[in-house]
Amino acid sequence: MTEFPSTRAAFLIPPGQCYLDGATFGLMPKNAPEQVQAAMVQLWSGAANHLRCDTVWHALPDRISARIARLIGGAPSEVLIGETLSIQVFQALSSALSLCSGAPRRIILTDNSIAQSDLHVLQAHARTLGCSLRVVEPEQICYALGEDVAVLLMAEVDRRTGKRRDLPCLTRLAHDAGALTVWDLSHSVGASPIDLTSACADFAVGGTHKYLNGGPGAPAFIWVAPRFAERITPALQGGMGRHGSCGPPEHQDRDKGIERLRIGATSLLGLVALDTAMAVWEEVEPATLFRAGGALTGALIEGVARHCPELMIATPREAGRRGAHVSLNHPSAAAIAQALAAENIIVGLCPPNILRIAFAPLYNNLAEVERVVDALARAVRANPSGPP
């Protein structure tokens, strides 16, 4: 099974458009505007709605966390939704480092597949936390896990190539070296099977604006292994995280477990939009959907190899080693992306020369694979080489 017409019907797809850029932003659910508008009118406006608003405001994160936990192999009590991804990364790093206090480990190790903007953020995080950032080639990670490394931070899927990292193996190697792990699941959650518990992972974070379709600026999540939840001391602690909640009684003791990572109140409208998007997952079995994603990427790879040999396929051929996007290298990648857009086919572009075609089986199907392969063949013939 590679198509899910009921979930596809739940998203707003412009007429005639083939949207294959879920690794950048997911599509908007059709009923998101209605739900957000209802929240503004029924919950936000008027002092009489204050108590109801406060109740919903505090209940939504728990419901969203439970839905995310189902997709990453964790329990609802291990997931916290709220801050931006950069802040969640900072919270994960500072929490991991708090477990290494007193040890001569002050290196945060990562690989150079991360975006340049994210690299600047990580460098600032490291300075603030009194650490150094070590950046190596992905293939050098296992050799760089020295006695000075406190935390290994990696994306589960390489944004450039679509290659999945061996999360259980790398976690085990980090533990053998005395380090903890922070996994970025932004290009994985909602696209690939993840089981953090079975992998004995330590910390994980993820954005919800890609395959979870939460929209630009959607709140990010953090996951903490239960063995650490009562021991961590995050660098940032806000009123919502330490006995500070003025919400319902069941939410007023926030100084326990993962709740100590909560900083402030999350945007109610952002939560409503994300909750609306995640409700779609109740209609499908994640394992079935992930197999469908593998079938779509596999069909694209086969089609490109047959009809567009000029495009270098950077993504692994084996289904289990790739995420939900396929990366194609070509010196005229930007021109090819523009040519596809002229045919109402939207794909991602990683400058200078990577086309990123991402499939979200919630709304993509095999007919779109055929369409993009045909369009790629035409675009490559029209743009045989790079710009002068």
Side-chain angles (χ1 to χ4, degrees), residues 149-171:
V149 174
V151 183
L152 169 63
L153 169 66
M154 291 192 76
E156 201 264 345
V157 169
D158 188 323
R159 69 179 186 91
R160 303 171 305 178
T161 66
K163 179 181 179 180
R164 294 189 68 194
R165 274 63 185 265
D166 192 332
L167 190 154
C169 179
L170 286 171
T171 297

Side-chain angles (χ1 to χ4, degrees), residues 44-58:
W44 187 5
S45 64
N49 294 327
H50 170 73
L51 292 179
R52 184 182 172 203
C53 176
D54 201 46
T55 300
V56 173
W57 201 352
H58 288 85

Side-chain angles (χ1 to χ4, degrees), residues 253-276:
D253 188 0
R254 294 286 191 179
D255 198 20
K256 294 182 179 179
I258 197 172
E259 290 291 347
R260 69 188 64 199
L261 289 165
R262 193 184 299 276
I263 300 173
T266 308
S267 164
L268 173 63
L269 302 183
L271 289 172
V272 169
L274 177 58
D275 184 58
T276 302

Side-chain angles (χ1 to χ4, degrees), residues 266-292:
T266 308
S267 164
L268 173 63
L269 302 183
L271 289 172
V272 169
L274 177 58
D275 184 58
T276 302
M278 295 222 60
V280 178
W281 285 92
E282 302 296 331
E283 302 181 31
V284 297
E285 174 56 42
T288 303
L289 192 95
F290 298 147
R291 285 194 296 271

